[in-house]
Amino acid sequence: MNVNIKILLALALACTSQARAEEFSPDIAGLQQAAADFVTAYNKRDAAAIAALFTEEGEMADITGTKLTSGRGEIQARYEEIFDGTPALMALEVGSVRIVAANLAIEDGIVHITPAADEEHPPRSFSYTAVLMKNAENIWQIASTRDLADVTTADGNLAELANTLKGEWTSRTSDGVQLDLAFGWDATGKSVVGETLTTTADSEPQTGSVRLGWNAAKKSIVSWIFDAKGGVTEGVWTPTAGGWLVRVEGTTAEGETITLNQKLTAEGENTLIWSATNRVVNGELQPDTSLRIARQAPEPSED
């Protein structure tokens, strides 16, 4: 377990205790134990142990509120699915615990998920609320839990888009224009950067650069594209169920204004569909365009 996880576990217990210090109840120790047991089971990747911490009819809802997992069997299966992915460590910061009835408590806090030994997947943090019930053996169990909001820092807010874009891509249009792209995290781990290369049969190759970051004031991903001739555009990204919508404004190197709507959709892990509509250059509406972009296969190893 890394140092940050240990610190956050200590904070979880300290915050829980402080939240009720002025009206101490013996039940707080049991609630602290329930939180600690959950973290321990998660970090051991023990789906059965996590399911056992829930009531028989316990349930958990995702951040959208549309995906509900009900009952210990479904909860265990859900965590087995989670643990099949990138290994990660969990920590909890319990912000408040309210005992609202003799056998009923409501807990609010933040859960931190840190991928283990994986620099390409930055930590994510989510606020949550949980309802706990005390059973006949005086053990607190989780009746329901729900993630409320993504409260990660800049790198976390970029994580989903970065995971979609990272790598090398290529596209070729029907008129012989080839577009090659490459994306990855920058040296700080707070921004995603990309390089573009546009090649045609009758002109010199044109390069460009892309940078994506998190605008904390707008609470949105923003992007900047710089082309080789000196043009620049800025985009504001809005996530959708199937990808992202991007509202773009900018200028060409000659000072012409540009506005357009873009849509980026992922088809599996190896195909991106990029489209542009309502594209206006210096007041003149341009035709809609669409590109199918495929992930390039990695270079064969020389070993």
Side-chain angles (χ1 to χ4, degrees):
M1 184 178 297
N2 66 28
V3 174
N4 287 338
I5 295 294
K6 291 180 180 177
I7 292 172
L8 289 168
L9 285 176
L11 284 172
L13 298 181
C15 290
T16 304
S17 177
Q18 292 169 5
R20 297 291 296 181
E22 68 279 9
E23 36 184 315
F24 179 77
S25 165
D27 287 321
I28 292 298
L31 290 164
Q32 289 177 336
Q33 188 62 52
D37 288 346
F38 189 93
V39 172
T40 298
Y42 189 99
N43 290 335
K44 287 183 176 180
R45 303 170 65 80
D46 190 339
I50 290 178
L53 297 174
F54 283 77
T55 62
E56 279 288 348
E57 304 301 323
E59 62 182 34
M60 46 189 262
D62 67 358
I63 198 168
T64 67
T66 60
K67 185 174 182 180
L68 190 67
T69 305
S70 302
R72 287 177 179 163
E74 287 189 12
I75 290 170
Q76 179 173 339
R78 174 62 182 138
Y79 275 99
E80 287 173 348
E81 179 183 344
I82 290 172
F83 294 150
D84 275 343
T86 303
L89 297 174
M90 170 189 281
L92 292 179
E93 289 184 75
V94 180
S96 68
V97 176
R98 305 184 304 283
I99 298 177
V100 296
N103 299 317
L104 187 67
I106 299 175
E107 175 182 303
D108 296 295
I110 297 175
V111 58
H112 303 274
I113 303 296
T114 303
D118 188 345
E119 296 179 355
E120 294 185 346
H121 295 77
R124 305 294 298 274
S125 299
F126 301 91
S127 58
Y128 73 91
T129 188
V131 177
L132 295 99
M133 299 179 65
K134 189 164 57 173
N135 65 18
E137 288 76 37
N138 289 322
I139 296 174
W140 286 98
Q141 293 181 299
I142 304 166
S144 71
T145 182
R146 179 178 176 181
D147 291 335
L148 299 178
D150 189 328
V151 293
T152 42
T153 54
D155 48 1
N157 283 296
L158 284 167
E160 183 178 356
L161 180 57
N163 289 341
T164 299
L165 292 178
K166 68 181 180 182
E168 298 182 351
W169 304 83
T170 190
S171 177
R172 190 173 183 85
T173 66
S174 58
D175 56 358
V177 178
Q178 180 164 323
L179 174 65
D180 295 303
L181 309 96
F183 289 95
W185 289 100
D186 74 353
T188 69
K190 302 296 183 184
S191 300
V192 175
V193 292
E195 299 294 333
T196 68
L197 176 66
T198 304
T199 307
T200 61
D202 55 0
S203 61
E204 291 292 322
Q206 298 292 317
T207 60
S209 62
V210 184
R211 181 173 290 272
L212 300 102
W214 175 251
N215 187 312
K218 293 181 179 179
K219 297 189 181 302
S220 298
I221 294 172
V222 292
S223 62
W224 299 267
I225 299 178
F226 306 90
D227 66 36
K229 295 181 179 180
V232 59
T233 59
E234 180 177 354
V236 178
W237 294 60
T238 301
T240 67
W244 288 267
L245 295 177
V246 191
R247 177 58 182 171
V248 177
E249 297 182 354
T251 59
T252 67
E254 292 76 25
E256 299 173 315
T257 60
I258 303 170
T259 61
L260 68 149
N261 295 326
Q262 294 178 329
K263 184 177 182 181
L264 182 70
T265 305
E267 291 189 354
E269 296 183 355
N270 298 314
T271 304
L272 299 174
I273 306 299
W274 175 87
S275 61
T277 59
N278 300 319
R279 189 162 54 107
V280 178
V281 179
N282 234 29
E284 294 187 7
L285 183 64
Q286 307 295 312
D288 294 346
T289 60
S290 181
L291 286 177
R292 189 176 195 86
I293 306 171
R295 187 184 297 278
Q296 295 187 36
E299 294 289 337
S301 172
E302 295 181 359
D303 295 339

